[in-house]
Amino acid sequence: MRKIVTAAAIAAITCVTATAQAEPGGCLKYGAVGAVGGHVAGGHSVLGAAAGCVTGMYKRHEYRKEAKAKAKLYDQEHPGSKGTYMEKATAYDVEHSTTPGKMTPDNTPATTTAAPQGNASM
């Protein structure tokens, strides 16, 4: 029973941290969650904290890398614009209907694969 509760708690924490719209938490927040998860999983608090810290640093790095890419695209569309890369990334998100964490627009229609058109005049 304890393992089921642990798995449910870890899944809930993962869902909460994955759906956040702000910048990811980084080493401290992910490390704290990892420490709690490691403790509940069987006394591996330090190992969980270390793994959470590494995960948090990676998530934040990826988020900032994507924000800089969006800012570069925004600069190409609006030469001479001023502001930080985070402000430009936010403006790019607003203009292109994207959300932080995704480079593609949210309202793109699902791509359908059409049947290949054969040569009917054989």
Side-chain angles (χ1 to χ4, degrees):
M1 182 68 178
R2 183 176 174 167
K3 289 184 180 182
I4 294 172
V5 172
T6 303
I10 290 172
I13 290 169
T14 303
C15 290
V16 169
T17 58
T19 59
Q21 294 296 320
E23 187 173 76
C27 182
L28 291 177
K29 289 182 182 177
Y30 278 79
V33 171
V36 170
H39 174 73
V40 172
H44 299 289
S45 302
V46 175
L47 184 61
C53 182
V54 170
T55 303
M57 288 189 301
Y58 177 75
K59 290 281 190 184
R60 184 171 278 186
H61 169 76
E62 288 295 314
Y63 180 86
R64 287 181 178 170
K65 188 167 104 175
E66 178 197 321
K68 288 178 183 177
K70 286 181 180 180
K72 186 175 180 181
L73 291 172
Y74 186 79
D75 281 337
Q76 290 174 353
E77 294 173 1
H78 306 282
S81 62
K82 295 188 167 103
T84 65
Y85 75 92
M86 290 303 288
E87 292 170 346
K88 292 177 184 178
T90 303
Y92 182 87
D93 287 338
V94 170
E95 282 185 7
H96 296 280
S97 301
T98 59
T99 57
K102 292 182 184 177
M103 287 293 286
T104 57
D106 294 334
N107 56 2
T108 57
T111 58
T112 58
T113 56
Q117 300 277 335
N119 192 355
S121 61
M122 277 209 217

